Amino acid sequence: MIEFQHVSFAYEKGREVIRDLSFRIGDGESVGLIGANGAGKSTVMKLMLGLVSGEGKILVDGEELTKQNLSLIRRKLGFVLQNSDNQMFMPTVYEDMMFAPLNYMLSREEAEKRVDAVLGRLGLQELKYRHNHRISGGEKRMAAIATVLAMEPEMILMDEPSSALDPYNRRLVINAIRELGQTKLISSHDLDMILDTCDRVILLSGGEIAADGPAEEILRDRALLESHHLELPLRLADK
Amino acid sequence: MNKMEKALHELSEMDDLAALSSPIHRLHPAAKLITTILYIVVTVSFDKYDLGGLFPMLLWPVLLFQLSGIPVRTCFYKLRIVLPLVMAVGLFNPFFDRAAMLTLGGVAVSGGVVSMLTLMLKGVFCLMASFLLMATTPIDSLCAALRRLHVPGTLVTLLLLTYRYVGVMTEELAVMTDAYHLRAPGQKGIHVSAWGSFLGQLLLRSMDRAQELYGSMLLRGYHDHFHYAPIRAFAARDGIFTIACALCFALLRFVNVGQLLGGLVMR
Ligand SMILES: Nc1ncnc2c1ncn2[C@@H]1O[C@H](COP(=O)(O)OP(=O)(O)OP(=O)(O)O)[C@@H](O)[C@H]1O
Ligand SMILES: [Mg+2]
């Protein structure tokens, strides 16, 4: 469970990018976070992870996010960064995937088992021993998703998971996301993917909530979407 | 590929070299680390005119090149940027120290020339030794070995991250140079007027990335130390290698092998 209570945040003084934001995501929910470029989607995620801190309260499982419990709370959250280049820092995909499980005191054998399972599920066995800076942008994205799945977090935050992916891999990721039982928060401009993976949608605009409701409802509202630089998902536009 | 990407590529090739298999690669990282440090200390300790004594020290790198299967060419190719700098160190000695020291085939050689050559050789030898260490030992095992030797974790992490961040910086530099050249076709290098902003941007971008990378480490449970892949225990052969090397270095340092051999041949 994640809850925002009147959260505001500014990167630079006087220019608030998140304004008095309040919402609540219950256990097991999958929520799509949508909005125009610069609406504040990535910032909301950074706030949740304590990568930046603003005014107001952020609660994870009823506990307020503070400096003291930061590492405990982070353990529950898995985050796929918008830019995978900044996520992968070990030389090979394999080592990167092992990183979190090892930090969480798994033995090497257990960690490796987990890594192999995730790679198998995403069909990425071939990437295992590849060097991170020698794989393509899309492969890197898949690998970054894999590193987070290997953490087996309680909640998963994904910032634009489908960008840079070809249709085949995009489909793989969508399927993988659907299979996850965890609470999910997914930010994306790929509204078709949001429609496929999320039950609920929060539409951000200028750091405020412009709409919050069932995905089927909001993603069908052409006027609402278009007034926020977005378009109907292709799947719904056909009809 | 632009120059930066090439540099990056070369850096990653070091990892590839280190992943090869040979008797040297299979040695314990600590054994290699200790012998390399010993080698460097002994090499540097030679007197500045002791060219003849220093020369046999070449044996060790040559032996390692042979045993590890790493081509000498690769070493010099990769070190081509640093080598001239190291060589330049002694360049002025001949001007300061003109007293004749020895005569070779009737030509008087001044002390300056001898000390210049000695300095250059020392530099080249030490570089070769460091290169061999890096080329036969993955950075992670090296760090694991350092930890085993009770080097503080923070220092080891610093070493590892520096090694990684060099990659990050080169990557940023590559992207930026490409972006620059795409919009400044036909220009060689980067125009002086753009240096300031270019460097500033590079620094900011590298810092941003470093920060995000660090953030993503924290998000995945990083707690002031890395979990290096376990390395095997220090075995008898590692000990033998280390001691044998140490003895050889001592021999080369304190017994004038050149003279000894010369004496044998003369007889
Ligand atoms: N490091 C930063 N320093 C200053 N301002 C920033 C920084 N990062 C983002 N911003 C600003 O904060 C606002 C929200 O940015 P954010 O990255 O959250 O948007 P977003 O919804 O994720 O957009 P996108 O869809 O483009 O990823 C933007 O106006 C942006 O210019
Ligand atoms: Mg964003």
Side-chain angles (χ1 to χ4, degrees):
Chain A
M1 203 257 313
I2 301 179
E3 191 170 352
F4 269 47
Q5 291 179 356
H6 307 287
V7 176
S8 298
F9 173 75
Y11 285 102
E12 295 147 20
K13 254 204 173 123
R15 215 179 128 258
E16 281 197 336
V17 294
I18 298 296
R19 294 197 191 108
D20 195 25
L21 199 65
S22 298
F23 63 85
R24 185 190 161 121
I25 298 173
D27 283 336
E29 263 194 287
S30 42
V31 179
L33 193 59
I34 62 174
N37 288 134
K41 305 180 293 294
S42 301
T43 309
V44 165
M45 298 206 167
K46 285 184 196 161
L47 281 163
M48 273 178 199
L49 295 157
L51 287 176
V52 295
S53 60
E55 286 159 41
K57 269 191 191 174
I58 297 170
L59 303 157
V60 176
D61 285 341
E63 246 188 287
E64 189 179 346
L65 193 71
T66 58
K67 267 218 164 67
Q68 285 72 41
N69 61 13
L70 200 57
S71 58
L72 273 174
I73 285 184
R74 280 176 173 170
R75 183 170 181 159
K76 301 179 177 180
L77 308 173
F79 182 39
V80 180
L81 268 64
Q82 184 161 6
N83 184 350
S84 313
D85 272 333
N86 296 349
Q87 174 150 3
M88 317 285 284
F89 47 85
M90 301 292 272
T92 62
V93 174
Y94 164 71
E95 285 164 275
D96 225 304
M97 290 182 71
M98 294 285 279
F99 184 75
L102 288 180
N103 280 332
Y104 293 136
M105 299 305 156
L106 246 64
S107 73
R108 259 182 188 268
E109 294 80 62
E110 286 173 297
E112 179 134 17
K113 240 187 236 157
R114 234 195 232 187
V115 167
D116 283 329
V118 172
L119 286 174
R121 202 156 87 216
L122 297 176
L124 297 178
Q125 293 94 335
E126 192 266 322
L127 282 186
K128 187 168 175 186
Y129 294 112
R130 298 277 298 278
H131 274 264
N132 277 328
H133 57 271
R134 287 192 206 159
I135 56 182
S136 81
E139 288 169 337
K140 212 177 276 179
R141 172 47 56 105
M142 292 294 283
I145 293 172
T147 56
V148 171
L149 294 186
M151 272 175 78
E152 298 190 349
E154 285 173 31
M155 291 169 227
I156 295 191
L157 315 178
M158 293 187 171
D159 201 352
E160 312 253 6
S162 66
S163 66
L165 295 184
D166 65 25
Y168 176 79
N169 278 331
R170 173 176 170 275
R171 187 47 61 189
L172 275 182
V173 169
I174 290 178
N175 291 339
I177 295 175
R178 283 164 67 119
E179 277 170 28
L180 299 173
Q182 291 103 324
T183 312
K184 288 163 271 186
L185 180 67
I186 301 163
S187 127
S188 184
H189 299 291
D190 178 354
L191 299 190
D192 281 283
M193 184 196 64
I194 297 284
L195 191 62
D196 280 344
T197 53
C198 301
D199 311 320
R200 175 181 158 198
V201 163
I202 295 177
L203 171 59
L204 275 187
S205 171
E208 290 171 341
I209 293 182
D212 180 353
E216 287 279 341
E217 212 168 276
I218 291 182
L219 296 178
R220 268 177 211 285
D221 192 336
R222 183 191 295 265
L224 176 70
L225 292 179
E226 283 178 1
S227 66
H228 291 99
H229 295 200
L230 299 167
E231 286 176 355
L232 282 185
L234 287 174
R235 193 143 66 77
L236 297 178
D238 291 344
K239 289 175 195 161
Chain B
M1 248 199 285
N2 69 27
K3 262 188 220 151
M4 293 311 145
E5 269 165 359
K6 236 188 214 149
L8 189 70
H9 191 72
E10 276 176 27
L11 203 69
S12 68
E13 270 177 351
M14 286 301 281
D15 289 342
D16 289 348
L17 288 178
L20 295 175
S21 180
S22 78
I24 300 297
H25 284 81
R26 282 191 291 275
L27 278 172
H28 195 277
K32 286 183 270 187
L33 182 69
I34 294 170
T35 43
T36 305
I37 292 174
L38 275 179
Y39 178 81
I40 291 176
V41 169
V42 170
T43 302
V44 170
S45 76
F46 273 92
D47 185 80
K48 68 172 175 171
Y49 296 121
D50 196 2
L51 189 57
L54 179 64
F55 205 75
M57 289 300 281
L58 181 62
L59 277 174
W60 195 66
V62 167
L63 200 69
L64 288 197
F65 275 120
Q66 282 301 321
L67 290 177
S68 64
I70 290 178
V72 183
R73 198 161 34 96
T74 319
C75 168
F76 283 97
Y77 183 72
K78 283 191 190 298
L79 295 179
R80 69 190 180 285
I81 301 173
V82 231
L83 268 177
L85 295 178
V86 169
M87 306 271 278
V89 171
L91 219 53
F92 292 105
N93 286 16
F95 298 104
F96 296 124
D97 187 354
R98 288 156 178 267
M101 243 190 94
L102 55 135
T103 44
L104 271 180
V107 182
V109 180
S110 74
V113 170
V114 174
S115 67
M116 174 185 78
L117 289 175
T118 314
L119 258 178
M120 283 178 175
L121 273 191
K122 280 184 184 178
V124 174
F125 286 4
C126 291
L127 272 180
M128 281 203 288
S130 325
F131 171 84
L132 278 163
L133 175 67
M134 297 305 290
T136 58
T137 322
I139 182 86
D140 285 75
S141 330
L142 201 60
C143 289
L146 285 169
R147 285 297 291 138
R148 278 273 183 90
L149 294 171
H150 298 286
V151 175
T154 326
L155 267 177
V156 179
T157 304
L158 199 69
L159 174 75
L160 184 67
L161 290 185
T162 312
Y163 188 78
R164 297 274 160 75
Y165 282 148
V166 168
V168 169
M169 262 197 46
T170 349
E171 241 174 70
E172 283 305 316
L173 201 57
V175 171
M176 284 176 62
T177 3
D178 273 347
Y180 181 92
H181 286 299
L182 284 174
R183 284 185 286 157
Q187 207 178 82
K188 254 205 161 169
I190 286 153
H191 196 265
V192 186
S193 64
W195 282 12
S197 58
F198 202 84
L199 271 182
Q201 274 297 314
L202 176 67
L203 209 65
L204 283 177
R205 291 173 60 143
S206 310
M207 269 163 33
D208 270 0
R209 275 197 62 186
Q211 193 161 10
E212 258 205 27
L213 279 169
Y214 186 63
S216 107
M217 282 166 60
L218 290 179
L219 291 180
R220 286 196 270 154
Y222 174 77
H223 263 301
D224 55 51
H225 66 95
F226 271 88
H227 295 265
Y228 303 106
I231 45 176
R232 64 176 176 79
F234 201 83
R237 64 193 147 101
D238 304 312
I240 295 172
F241 173 81
T242 314
I243 293 171
C245 286
L247 287 178
C248 286
F249 297 158
L251 185 77
L252 291 172
R253 177 69 185 85
F254 297 110
V255 182
N256 195 331
V257 180
Q259 222 163 43
L260 209 69
L261 285 180
L264 282 180
V265 173
M266 288 302 205
R267 234 178 270 157

